[in-house]
Amino acid sequence: MRNLIYLSLIFLFLPSLYLPGGNIPVYDIIIGITFLTLLLNSKQLIKKFFLLHSYPIKYLFLYISWCIFSGLILVILNKFDILNYLYAVFILFIYNDLTWFLLPIFTVPNIISINKIKKFLLVGIYVICFYGLLVFIFNSLNINILNSIQDIINNRREDILISRNLSVFEEPGYFGGFLCINLPLIYKTVLSKFRISENIALNFFIKKTYIFLVWITIFTIKSPIWLIFCLLSTLIYFSKNIIKIIKKSIISFSTSLIILILGCIIFFNNVNINETFIVRIIKTVQNLNSMESLVIVEPSLANRFISYRARLQLLIENPITGVGYKNTEYVVKKYFYKNNLPLTQETILHITKSSSNKGQIKINGAILWDTISNTGLVGFILLYAFYISSIISLNKIIKNIEYCSERNFMEGIRMTLVSIVLFSFYDIRANFVYFWFLFGLAIAFNEYYRRYIDYWRKQ
């Protein structure tokens, strides 16, 4: 049983591996087998499901009910295709997302300890960073030794991307978002006194190289916006330490700052930034006030802004119910040509392809924009109430247990959940199962806390 669960967890780090020639991710097959096996081998799991009383679960249950109810109303009003409704709500959301949410609730700490999960997640992040960096370096040197593996891991892509690091993800931006969200967890656990591996030598090596590896990976992803967000997340995480250093030694800090500024001046004077992705950041900042200019100089970012604006317009037109869970892609076409708004070539291409794709248009999304366009203000309030209450519930647990490896990990998970909420406005996918797993893990910590309280009561 434990080995099957570990097998499932491996697929948390293979999000772009799909069945050949289809739209079914392999992780959906694996989680189905695992979940069915769990239910057949333990009646207590079914009982535990019905006994879940953690108050974040209540908000999630209300959100699920709202998705089902509002979608059904839209189907009756002929605004939501019945087949799309059944697929989106019951397969994509309830099966795809909620099974991964429930997996840690059913298995942690009953079958797998918190420290084992901690080790698995941290090693998993390390491995995909290392693998992605290897692929990037080899391709930069025109060595195609890993491309056959990459074709399998990213079999939804039609080409091998050699100029940017995407590792196991479909897009480099997805990888950037994944690392940005996980930075607080990485800092909290790697910089602590607690081990990642029981092997002393391996633990030493991983801890000493982890943060360096992650940041090299972030730079090779070459995503201007996620680089900025990663820097912002890092500054916030270390803000207290930075303030202490400034207060303690203002002269040393000022000297270091001057040296840093001079170093940057020398760097930019001797390096052609037009050959680096830094120029994308500069051009983006210079053209943020004009969508027409942004479409030309930074079409990737402009395409996201266009998609988010379209989703916002759908909310304005359907404020209560939205247009139905995952239905935005089928009804957004009419908006793109309103008021002669500037469109990127990518958006135009997706609109052109929609006629041969059952009217579905591929547009960018993020948790925030997906939620408001698909499920309206009611859905937005319920989903974010679930997010926030999960963080508050976890915070109460942390405050009431002594400092230990488990608490250190919980603190890292808490900060990562906060990051998900804070960055949910940009390119963070609502159906990314890794995030659902983390929120399920936050609920699973309640079982650890219950055992912790029971233990101390017996002392």
Side-chain angles (χ1 to χ4, degrees):
M1 176 67 71
R2 186 177 285 108
N3 290 336
L4 181 59
I5 296 169
Y6 280 132
L7 176 63
S8 296
L9 294 178
I10 290 174
F11 283 87
L12 279 174
F13 301 100
L14 293 172
S16 303
L17 178 59
Y18 281 65
L19 293 180
N23 291 319
I24 302 175
V26 176
Y27 61 74
D28 266 355
I29 305 298
I30 298 298
I31 191 62
I33 295 171
T34 303
F35 216 72
L36 182 61
T37 304
L38 280 169
L39 294 177
L40 291 176
N41 285 275
S42 180
K43 295 180 180 179
Q44 291 182 346
L45 292 180
I46 300 176
K47 182 180 179 181
K48 185 177 180 179
F49 175 77
F50 289 104
L51 291 177
L52 286 174
H53 60 276
S54 178
Y55 75 95
I57 293 285
K58 297 175 183 177
Y59 291 114
L60 180 59
F61 177 77
L62 290 172
Y63 177 67
I64 296 167
S65 301
W66 176 251
C67 290
I68 295 172
F69 174 75
S70 62
L72 188 58
I73 295 298
L74 291 168
V75 169
I76 294 172
L77 296 175
N78 203 30
K79 294 183 177 181
F80 197 174
D81 181 78
I82 180 67
L83 293 179
N84 291 339
Y85 163 71
L86 293 175
Y87 168 76
V89 175
F90 293 96
I91 302 298
L92 186 60
F93 179 36
I94 293 179
Y95 174 77
N96 179 78
D97 297 340
L98 296 187
T99 48
W100 285 100
F101 170 76
L102 290 172
L103 181 63
I105 295 176
F106 286 171
T107 59
V108 179
N110 300 315
I111 300 175
I112 301 176
S113 70
I114 290 177
N115 279 326
K116 291 290 186 183
I117 287 292
K118 166 189 167 181
K119 176 182 176 180
F120 199 97
L121 292 183
L122 289 171
V123 171
I125 296 169
Y126 190 96
V127 168
I128 63 173
C129 285
F130 185 76
Y131 167 76
L133 202 56
L134 278 182
V135 174
F136 176 80
I137 292 172
F138 285 162
N139 284 332
S140 298
L141 298 173
N142 292 318
I143 301 173
N144 301 325
I145 190 171
L146 292 177
N147 283 0
S148 57
I149 298 175
Q150 193 70 348
D151 277 333
I152 297 173
I153 291 176
N154 284 302
N155 60 357
R156 296 250 287 178
R157 291 191 66 89
E158 296 178 358
D159 60 325
I160 296 292
L161 195 64
I162 62 174
S163 61
R164 299 174 65 187
N165 185 346
L166 52 69
S167 188
V168 298
F169 295 84
E170 285 185 48
E171 300 291 341
Y174 294 163
F175 192 17
F178 173 82
L179 289 182
C180 182
I181 295 303
N182 280 293
L183 275 180
L185 172 62
I186 293 168
Y187 291 145
K188 191 67 184 179
T189 51
V190 171
L191 297 176
S192 74
K193 64 181 180 180
F194 303 108
R195 292 182 179 180
I196 295 175
S197 171
E198 295 301 320
N199 184 291
I200 297 176
L202 181 60
N203 180 73
F204 179 83
F205 177 80
I206 291 177
K207 281 204 157 195
K208 292 300 180 182
T209 60
Y210 208 123
I211 294 175
F212 176 77
L213 174 65
V214 168
W215 270 100
I216 289 294
T217 303
I218 290 169
F219 279 105
T220 56
I221 289 170
K222 299 182 181 180
S223 170
I225 193 71
W226 283 117
L227 173 60
I228 293 171
F229 288 162
C230 285
L231 289 171
L232 181 61
S233 178
T234 300
L235 285 173
I236 293 173
Y237 182 88
F238 292 106
S239 59
K240 291 183 179 179
N241 291 22
I242 293 171
I243 292 171
K244 284 182 181 178
I245 292 172
I246 295 173
K247 288 181 177 179
K248 186 177 292 186
S249 184
I250 187 66
I251 296 176
S252 298
F253 176 79
S254 301
T255 303
S256 300
L257 185 61
I258 292 170
I259 293 173
L260 178 62
I261 293 172
L262 289 174
C264 289
I265 292 172
I266 295 171
F267 173 81
F268 286 117
N269 283 335
N270 290 277
V271 174
N272 182 6
I273 62 170
N274 289 321
E275 296 177 358
T276 72
F277 78 104
I278 296 173
V279 72
R280 293 179 61 196
I281 299 177
I282 297 172
K283 287 183 177 180
T284 298
V285 173
Q286 290 174 339
N287 293 278
L288 278 176
N289 62 336
S290 171
M291 182 58 72
E292 288 80 2
S293 300
L294 195 62
V295 165
I296 297 171
V297 301
E298 189 56 41
S300 178
L301 182 61
N303 195 58
R304 285 169 172 77
F305 285 171
I306 290 168
S307 296
Y308 300 161
R309 186 175 58 188
R311 289 180 180 276
L312 181 59
Q313 181 63 33
L314 290 177
L315 169 70
I316 293 172
E317 295 175 0
N318 307 271
I320 305 301
T321 63
V323 297
Y325 192 86
K326 199 61 179 175
N327 194 36
T328 296
E329 290 84 344
Y330 292 93
V331 300
V332 76
K333 184 176 181 178
K334 63 179 182 179
Y335 172 75
F336 281 129
Y337 289 121
K338 280 186 176 181
N339 304 320
N340 295 317
L341 294 171
L343 301 176
T344 64
Q345 288 299 314
E346 182 180 351
T347 301
I348 294 171
L349 179 62
H350 289 322
I351 293 172
T352 304
K353 287 183 177 180
S354 66
S355 58
S356 60
N357 195 28
K358 299 179 182 179
Q360 184 181 22
I361 296 177
K362 182 180 178 181
I363 65 170
N364 293 101
I367 295 173
L368 172 64
W369 307 109
D370 288 11
T371 303
I372 61 175
S373 66
N374 289 336
T375 59
L377 291 175
V378 175
F380 166 77
I381 292 170
L382 292 175
L383 181 62
Y384 276 76
F386 163 68
Y387 286 160
I388 294 170
S389 62
S390 296
I391 295 168
I392 293 173
S393 175
L394 180 52
N395 193 51
K396 290 179 180 178
I397 294 174
I398 292 170
K399 285 183 177 180
N400 288 290
I401 60 177
E402 63 183 2
Y403 191 65
C404 56
S405 177
E406 288 84 357
R407 173 173 164 170
N408 174 263
F409 180 55
M410 290 180 192
E411 290 173 345
I413 292 294
R414 177 187 60 186
M415 288 184 284
T416 285
L417 298 185
V418 171
S419 292
I420 292 173
V421 175
L422 292 179
F423 292 113
S424 64
F425 67 93
Y426 186 82
D427 212 26
I428 298 291
R429 292 176 295 165
N431 297 108
F432 188 28
V433 295
Y434 177 82
F435 294 159
W436 281 103
F437 179 87
L438 293 185
F439 276 100
L441 194 57
I443 303 299
F445 291 148
N446 283 279
E447 177 65 16
Y448 172 85
Y449 179 62
R450 184 189 64 78
R451 295 184 182 186
Y452 177 87
I453 294 298
D454 288 346
Y455 172 80
W456 284 107
R457 282 175 178 171
K458 292 177 182 178
Q459 300 305 307

